[in-house]
Amino acid sequence: MKKRIIIGTSCVVIFLVMFVVWIVGRSAKILQDIDVRTLSKIEIYYPGANLTVVTAEEDMQKVIALFHSLRVRKTFADNNDGFVFSIQIYDKNGERIDIVTIRSDRIVTNDGYYKAERIYGCRVGWMCS
């Protein structure tokens, strides 16, 4: 009987530890390693060939802060094409260091695929114009 209690308790503890690791591991932050002082510009592309270029350091900080404030979790890749926004980040040398593609239900970066934990804008996606 004692052996059953120990085995049962061990299984429950292992399950709880795995669950906590799984929950913590899914949460992520986007663009955490970006230092705005090293950036030259951020280009934001909208469908229909619209382009906005952000060059002021204060404005670039706001764009990066927006991504830091999002609560997202890693998810699996999908085969969908298209985007709502495409954001390209350039360093002081003019080299593109990161691309962020915003889809209706996913955020795709160089690091992987993410899904917002809640809807941040209208019902079509996480952000609307």
Side-chain angles (χ1 to χ4, degrees):
M1 188 66 168
K2 209 176 201 182
K3 212 176 202 180
R4 281 184 153 170
I5 293 174
I6 292 172
I7 291 172
T9 305
S10 298
C11 289
V12 169
V13 168
I14 290 170
F15 175 76
L16 288 174
V17 168
M18 289 175 52
F19 182 73
V20 168
V21 168
W22 180 69
I23 291 294
V24 171
R26 288 182 60 187
S27 295
K29 293 287 184 180
I30 299 176
L31 303 177
Q32 281 297 328
D33 57 344
I34 298 288
D35 183 9
V36 175
R37 294 173 297 206
T38 64
L39 302 180
S40 64
K41 66 180 175 178
I42 298 175
E43 295 180 346
I44 304 170
Y45 294 93
Y46 305 92
N50 295 317
L51 170 66
T52 300
V53 179
V54 179
T55 56
E57 187 173 325
E58 183 179 319
D59 294 335
M60 289 190 292
Q61 181 63 40
K62 289 178 184 178
V63 172
I64 299 300
L66 171 70
F67 284 104
H68 290 176
S69 70
L70 294 176
R71 293 185 54 154
V72 296
R73 57 183 161 78
K74 276 209 169 255
T75 187
F76 300 105
D78 62 4
N79 294 327
N80 295 339
D81 288 334
F83 62 92
V84 178
F85 298 102
S86 178
I87 301 168
Q88 298 183 11
I89 302 170
Y90 294 86
D91 66 8
K92 292 281 186 190
N93 298 328
E95 292 187 36
R96 187 173 58 206
I97 58 172
D98 216 332
I99 299 173
V100 179
T101 305
I102 312 297
R103 297 183 182 167
S104 62
D105 66 340
R106 297 213 196 304
I107 300 170
V108 182
T109 68
N110 294 350
D111 297 332
Y113 292 78
Y114 301 91
K115 190 166 187 142
E117 291 184 359
R118 67 181 183 91
I119 296 174
Y120 282 94
C122 66
R123 296 199 181 271
V124 175
W126 73 276
M127 194 170 177
C128 295
S129 54

